[in-house]
Amino acid sequence: FPEMLSNPRLTALQGTSNVVMNQNVTLSCQPDTGSPPVTYTLFKHNQKVSTLNRPDLTPALFNLTINSASDLGEYKCKAENNIPSGGKYSNSLSFTLLEPISKPVLSSPISEVKKGQRVTLSCLSENGSLPITYIFFKGKQNISPPMKMQKREAAVIFLFINSSSDFGTYKCRAENSFRNNTKYSNSFNFTLAEERSHSQPLLISLGIILLLLVIGLALAIPFFIIPSYKASE
């Protein structure tokens, strides 16, 4: 007697659902049990894409090319044999498009700092498929663990500027699942803010006071010298 088909399994033969634009992919659809022959139909968003017939339970192989974002949508396949109303649907499968990351931008809210000051550095790639992993460097030495960002947001580290060595050149590196696509940021340097001497404001204040005394004395002389001269006459 004909045996009803089991639900088929839809898989990507390349072993991953991550793809790049214009990539050729192959989808395999196969039930584990059931009576052949089997008719396989591939659907994308419930729209029929292709139909294949197999005389046995060997998998049906559907070849596709990812040409646009619409080709990433949900795929399913249906397996049918000679049993009426015995068609079974597979699991759904969707592709994820891998995009190369853009050059990350390294920035800080301030560039002039004082020794002992706490500062932040931010690294962000505006484009590229997520997640993106960032690492910060000073010179050629990494100064942070890998920071994997699942959202389109900057990786941030905090630093203390304690000595002259902390004023070196900083960079960050960004990478994602796209092959051979590691990008380094612009260089960033902190500069030492000029610190005014504590005696300078005091000298300015003393100078102003002295000037006011001279002006006051000059204004007071006529009131003391002239009356004394008249009294002596």
Side-chain angles (χ1 to χ4, degrees):
F1 294 96
E3 182 184 359
M4 184 174 291
L5 295 168
S6 61
N7 289 89
R9 290 173 286 106
L10 184 64
T11 58
L13 285 190
Q14 66 269 21
T16 176
S17 59
N18 295 330
V19 296
V20 297
M21 198 63 72
N22 300 319
Q23 180 176 338
N24 295 321
V25 296
T26 300
L27 295 182
S28 171
C29 184
Q30 181 184 27
D32 291 324
T33 59
S35 299
V38 183
T39 298
Y40 298 93
T41 305
L42 182 68
F43 295 89
K44 183 184 69 178
H45 292 312
N46 298 320
Q47 298 293 320
K48 184 184 294 186
V49 176
S50 182
T51 299
L52 295 173
N53 295 307
R54 289 288 182 268
D56 48 31
L57 291 182
T58 56
L61 302 179
F62 298 95
N63 297 311
L64 307 170
T65 302
I66 306 300
N67 291 317
S68 65
S70 63
D71 296 324
L72 304 174
E74 183 181 84
Y75 290 86
K76 284 187 177 183
C77 73
K78 183 180 181 182
E80 301 173 277
N81 58 7
N82 293 325
I83 297 179
S85 303
K88 293 294 183 67
Y89 284 92
S90 72
N91 55 292
S92 60
L93 188 149
S94 298
F95 292 106
T96 300
L97 182 64
L98 292 181
E99 295 179 287
I101 53 177
S102 58
K103 180 179 179 178
V105 176
L106 182 65
S107 62
S108 176
I110 57 174
S111 59
E112 289 191 357
V113 297
K114 299 178 181 179
K115 288 186 178 180
Q117 185 172 347
R118 186 171 185 255
V119 296
T120 61
L121 278 175
S122 301
C123 185
L124 175 65
S125 289
E126 292 286 353
N127 299 304
S129 51
L130 299 170
I132 298 177
T133 300
Y134 298 94
I135 299 179
F136 291 83
F137 294 85
K138 183 168 73 69
K140 295 183 179 180
Q141 182 179 4
N142 63 301
I143 56 174
S144 76
M147 305 170 70
K148 181 177 286 189
M149 310 303 291
Q150 302 289 343
K151 298 180 180 179
R152 187 75 60 190
E153 57 188 15
V156 178
I157 62 170
F158 300 91
L159 303 171
F160 280 99
I161 305 299
N162 291 319
S163 65
S164 57
S165 63
D166 295 324
F167 289 92
T169 299
Y170 292 86
K171 281 191 175 184
C172 68
R173 187 181 74 194
E175 58 187 4
N176 62 1
S177 299
F178 198 93
R179 290 183 179 180
N180 303 319
N181 186 232
T182 297
K183 295 287 182 67
Y184 285 87
S185 72
N186 55 294
S187 299
F188 188 92
N189 293 80
F190 293 104
T191 57
L192 182 63
E194 294 183 3
E195 297 185 12
R196 292 184 177 180
S197 172
H198 293 294
S199 61
Q200 187 176 2
L202 179 61
L203 291 175
I204 293 175
S205 300
L206 290 175
I208 293 174
I209 293 173
L210 183 60
L211 179 62
L212 292 175
L213 287 174
V214 171
I215 294 173
L217 184 60
L219 294 174
I221 286 175
F223 294 96
F224 291 97
I225 300 299
I226 296 175
S228 300
Y229 177 76
K230 288 183 177 181
S232 63
E233 289 179 349

